[in-house]
C-alpha cells in the first residue's frame, strides 16, 4: 500500500510538472496537449485503482471500492476528452458575469453599510469598480483573459509539483 501511495505521488508530480511547464511555455498551443494529458492522467489513475482493487480482492476475497473508483475514473477521462474544449471556451464569459455580479453586490453592500457607519468606503467602491471592469474585460476579450488564466494555472501547477516532490522526499520510507 505504501508502495502504491509513492507511485501515485510520483504520477502526480510528473503530471503537475509537465503540465505546468507546457502551459507556461506555449499557453495557446498546449490546450489540446493538456486535455489529453489530463485525460491520460485520470485514465492511468483509474487503471492503477482497478489493479489495486483486483489485488485486494485476490488477497482477501472481498470486493472493494477501488474497482468502482477506477471504472469511474476511466469514464471521467473519456468525458473530459469529449467536452473539455467546449467548457474551456465558456470559462471567461462565465467568470466575467460572476465578477460583474460580485462587483455590483460589493458596491451595493458598501453603500448600504455607509448608512449605518458614517464613513465613505472609497476602497470598497474602487474594489467594486475594478471587479466590474475585470468582468467586462473577461466578457469582451475572452481569448486574452483565458491565456492569462491558463498561464497562471501553469505556474501554480509547477509550484504544486515542487511541493509534491518535497513531500515525496519527506514521507519516503
Amino acid at each position: 500500500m505504501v508502495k502504491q501511495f509513492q507511485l501515485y505521488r510520483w504520477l502526480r508530480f510528473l503530471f503537475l510538472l509537465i503540465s505546468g511547464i507546457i502551459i507556461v511555455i506555449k499557453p495557446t498551443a498546449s490546450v489540446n496537449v493538456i486535455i489529453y494529458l489530463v485525460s491520460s492522467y485520470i485514465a492511468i489513475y483509474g487503471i492503477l485503482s482497478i489493479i489495486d482493487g483486483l489485488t485486494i480482492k485476490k488477497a482477501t476475497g472481498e470486493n472493494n471500492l477501488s474497482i468502482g473508483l477506477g471504472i469511474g475514473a476511466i469514464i471521467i477521462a473519456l468525458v473530459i476528452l469529449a467536452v473539455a474544449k467546449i467548457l474551456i471556451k465558456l470559462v471567461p464569459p462565465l467568470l466575467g458575469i460572476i465578477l460583474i455580479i460580485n462587483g455590483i453586490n460589493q458596491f451595493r453592500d458598501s453603500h448600504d453599510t455607509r448608512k449605518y457607519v458614517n464613513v465613505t468606503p472609497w476602497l470598497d467602491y474602487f474594489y467594486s469598480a475594478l471587479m466590474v471592469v475585470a468582468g467586462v474585460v473577461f466578457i469582451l476579450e475572452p481569448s486574452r483573459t483565458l491565456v492569462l488564466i491558463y498561464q497562471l494555472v501553469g505556474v501554480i501547477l509547477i509550484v504544486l509539483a515542487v511541493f509534491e516532490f518535497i513531500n515525496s522526499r519527506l514521507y519516503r520510507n
Side-chain angles (χ1 to χ4, degrees):
M1 187 170 157
V2 172
K3 196 184 235 185
Q4 283 303 114
F5 182 72
Q6 287 294 337
L7 179 63
Y8 289 141
R9 185 177 294 278
W10 281 105
L11 182 64
R12 276 192 312 271
F13 166 72
L14 289 173
F15 168 75
L16 293 169
L17 184 64
I18 292 169
S19 298
I21 290 171
I22 290 171
I23 289 170
V24 169
I25 292 173
K26 294 268 188 185
T28 54
S30 67
V31 172
N32 290 334
V33 173
I34 295 302
I35 290 170
Y36 290 121
L37 197 59
V38 168
S39 184
S40 299
Y41 170 78
I42 293 171
I44 290 169
Y45 173 80
I47 291 167
L48 290 174
S49 187
I50 291 171
I51 291 170
D52 284 346
L54 293 174
T55 304
I56 292 170
K57 185 176 181 177
K58 186 177 177 182
T60 64
E62 295 180 15
N63 289 327
N64 56 62
L65 192 59
S66 296
I67 295 171
L69 289 174
I71 292 169
I74 292 172
I75 291 169
I76 289 172
L78 294 172
V79 169
I80 286 173
L81 282 176
V83 299
K85 285 186 181 180
I86 297 166
L87 294 177
I88 288 174
K89 291 177 183 176
L90 294 176
V91 169
L94 289 176
L95 279 175
I97 291 168
I98 290 169
L99 283 172
I100 289 172
I101 291 169
N102 283 336
I104 291 169
N105 285 336
Q106 174 75 28
F107 180 83
R108 184 184 46 101
D109 291 345
S110 299
H111 188 69
D112 287 346
T113 304
R114 185 174 180 232
K115 293 176 185 176
Y116 304 109
V117 180
N118 196 16
V119 175
T120 304
W122 293 110
L123 288 177
D124 287 343
Y125 291 160
F126 180 69
Y127 176 69
S128 301
L130 284 178
M131 286 178 64
V132 170
V133 168
V136 170
V137 169
F138 272 59
I139 291 171
L140 296 179
E141 291 287 338
S143 59
R144 287 185 187 174
T145 55
L146 186 60
V147 170
L148 177 66
I149 292 169
Y150 196 50
Q151 284 181 312
L152 261 121
V153 168
V155 170
I156 290 168
L157 290 176
I158 293 171
V159 170
L160 289 174
V162 169
F163 287 140
E164 194 68 42
F165 178 77
I166 291 169
N167 282 337
S168 71
R169 299 286 105 206
L170 291 175
Y171 297 112
R172 70 175 179 225
N173 288 339

